[in-house]
Amino acid sequence: MNTTHRPALVVVGNGMAGMRTVEELLALAPGMYDITVFGAEPHVNYNRIMLSPVLAGDKTQDDIVLHPRAWYAEHGITLHTGDPVVAIDRRRRIVRSQSGVEVAYDRLLLATGSQPFIVPVPGADLPGVVGFRDLDDVDTMLQAARDGRHAVVIGGGLLGLEAANGLLRRGMDVTVVHLTGSLLNQQLDGDASLLLKGALERRGLRILLGVQTEAILGDGKVASVRLSDGVTLPADLVVMAAGVRPNVALARAAGLHVERAIVVDDTLQSYDPRVYAVGECVQHRRATFGLVAPIWEQARVCAAHLAGFGHRRYVQQAVATKLKVTGIDLYSAGDIVGGPGTQDLVLRDRRSGMYKRLVLDGNRLTGAVLYGDVADGPWYFDLIGRGVDISALRDRLLFGPALCDAQAA
């Protein structure tokens, strides 16, 4: 190592995954690297998870900032905002930004995130059609709420429902269009999905299931959406929330090994040993990632290796999801689909709107779906994660830790 200069770490992506890795690295080995960060957005690092509360009016943009500019300066980090990296020369170990800035690296961290999947239908490029991935999208949606009346959200997953709820609270008439026959089909079973649909409709959302978008219509600006069943919906705004795609064009152009995303090993290292990757742009053991918990663990492991501590390995774990819609409580964790040999334990109280389903594989809890009362969610998640033998608790498991602990005592 050069005794007069510290090695250079360049981070491509100023979002949550990249900056969490830098945070962890600074805690382990402060001053080890000269760090340069490039971000495509003009903003500093903010909490993307909280875009829904900003849209709904529960938070402001300032409330969700994670690292103000002073933080970068305090840690000697050179920050380039609004200037994405457009090329990586792995032979010379140099990155080049859109504005022409070139920076050499000894280690490169790719945290390029993902992009919204824009449903490929006629009119998808009309003004008024947006994704829901960043603060600029939120600004566009808020402007539409001030100027227009009708919104169509394409996609009934977590992000789509949070967008729909936010726009409803901003005074728009909102229709959710979802391809499958149930909302949150990745997180909820059919029964819980029906309860959720009823709760959202009582709030004023219109929900159309099992239909496709055929075309987005308008003359210079979106005006309506035509569906596969022939229905045409008025629309001053169309929000594409039909999933995301890992943002891997830069990595692929640089010759890195890319499948669905940038392929990394258990240390978050790519096929090039000088290049690491974390977050939604990563593929690890055939899986890609969109939830914060696994990405935080990736950051921890990656930082350890960048710091020279090679003992940590990334291991995929069960994940839990919650819907950020005020007044609607749902929680899903682990494998809710089950398979041959699994069993379900179900508790339902129609009057209170409470539903609980636990998936058992032998003497282990492998999945949980909670609606209405989610207080026990973290306890079930812990049982899933630790692989606890629940055979002694089986007849009380649906009633949560209070009864189980009381019986054990």
Side-chain angles (χ1 to χ4, degrees):
M1 182 184 294
N2 191 315
T3 57
T4 59
H5 296 287
R6 297 179 296 178
L9 170 66
V10 173
V11 183
V12 181
N14 186 36
M16 295 172 68
M19 289 307 95
R20 181 62 172 240
T21 307
V22 171
E23 264 192 352
E24 297 275 359
L25 175 61
L26 292 172
L28 290 171
M32 180 173 176
Y33 289 94
D34 281 326
I35 302 175
T36 302
V37 176
F38 288 89
E41 293 185 63
H43 313 284
V44 292
N45 180 32
Y46 60 88
N47 189 343
R48 198 178 301 275
I49 298 169
M50 301 306 287
L51 287 175
S52 298
V54 173
L55 177 63
D58 297 328
K59 298 280 185 183
T60 68
Q61 291 191 10
D62 288 342
D63 290 336
I64 69 171
V65 169
L66 293 173
H67 298 107
R69 290 189 183 273
W71 179 85
Y72 297 85
E74 178 187 340
H75 291 91
I77 298 170
T78 302
L79 174 64
H80 300 275
T81 55
D83 193 16
V85 168
V86 295
I88 300 168
D89 184 333
R90 291 197 294 127
R91 185 181 60 80
R92 296 168 58 214
R93 297 202 302 274
I94 289 174
V95 304
R96 187 178 77 253
S97 76
Q98 190 173 69
S99 71
V101 175
E102 290 192 347
V103 179
Y105 66 84
D106 296 288
R107 293 289 183 270
L108 178 64
L109 175 61
L110 299 180
T112 50
S114 63
Q115 296 177 325
F117 173 65
I118 303 301
V119 180
V121 295
D125 57 348
L126 282 170
V129 179
V130 299
F132 185 24
R133 296 298 294 165
D134 57 35
L135 281 170
D136 287 346
D137 292 333
V138 172
D139 286 341
T140 300
M141 293 158 77
L142 291 176
Q143 185 62 47
R146 287 189 288 269
D147 297 341
R149 181 181 173 191
H150 300 284
V152 174
V153 176
I154 299 174
L158 285 166
L159 203 61
L161 295 184
E162 290 171 6
N165 177 70
L167 292 168
L168 182 71
R169 290 183 58 185
R170 293 288 185 172
M172 298 195 83
D173 293 331
V174 185
T175 301
V176 176
V177 176
H178 191 50
L179 181 62
T180 72
S182 60
L183 296 172
L184 295 185
N185 48 290
Q186 298 295 317
Q187 291 85 17
L188 299 182
D189 59 21
D191 289 336
S193 177
L194 279 174
L195 288 170
L196 174 63
K197 180 175 182 286
L200 293 172
E201 287 175 334
R202 286 191 291 275
R203 288 179 169 224
L205 286 179
R206 182 184 182 190
I207 298 173
L208 304 178
L209 300 176
V211 289
Q212 288 181 292
T213 302
E214 271 197 352
I216 299 171
L217 310 174
D219 184 10
K221 186 184 183 303
V222 62
S224 61
V225 174
R226 188 173 71 235
L227 304 180
S228 56
D229 59 1
V231 170
T232 298
L233 304 171
D236 304 296
L237 172 72
V238 175
V239 180
M240 293 280 190
V244 298
R245 297 294 183 269
N247 193 357
V248 296
L250 180 67
R252 182 174 279 123
L256 291 169
H257 182 47
V258 174
E259 293 176 0
R260 283 187 301 151
I262 303 167
V263 177
V264 296
D265 63 14
D266 293 347
T267 71
L268 284 305
Q269 195 176 69
S270 74
Y271 276 49
D272 181 336
R274 291 182 180 271
V275 181
Y276 291 77
V278 292
E280 293 182 321
C281 64
V282 156
Q283 178 179 320
H284 173 264
R285 296 180 183 263
R286 301 190 176 181
T288 55
F289 307 88
L291 298 174
V292 72
I295 291 173
W296 270 192
E297 179 62 15
Q298 290 175 13
R300 199 173 73 91
V301 172
C302 184
H305 286 269
L306 287 170
F309 303 123
H311 61 285
R312 290 178 178 165
R313 295 288 184 273
Y314 177 65
V315 178
Q316 294 178 32
Q317 304 283 353
V319 295
T321 56
K322 295 180 72 173
L323 180 66
K324 292 184 293 296
V325 172
T326 306
I328 294 180
D329 295 316
L330 63 84
Y331 186 98
S332 172
D335 177 13
I336 66 162
V337 177
T342 62
Q343 295 180 308
D344 290 353
L345 302 180
V346 178
L347 177 65
R348 183 200 307 269
D349 184 340
R350 293 184 185 276
R351 190 166 202 167
S352 68
M354 189 270 284
Y355 173 81
K356 184 182 293 189
R357 173 171 161 260
L358 306 178
V359 181
L360 305 182
D361 188 353
N363 293 324
R364 301 285 187 271
L365 178 66
T366 58
V369 179
L370 312 181
Y371 183 91
D373 180 359
V374 299
D376 295 337
W379 182 70
Y380 290 122
F381 184 63
D382 180 60
L383 295 180
I384 294 169
R386 291 193 293 122
V388 173
D389 185 338
I390 53 85
S391 52
L393 307 175
R394 182 186 173 96
D395 60 342
R396 304 181 297 278
L397 197 61
L398 278 169
F399 302 100
L403 187 58
C404 289
D405 291 346
Q407 292 286 336

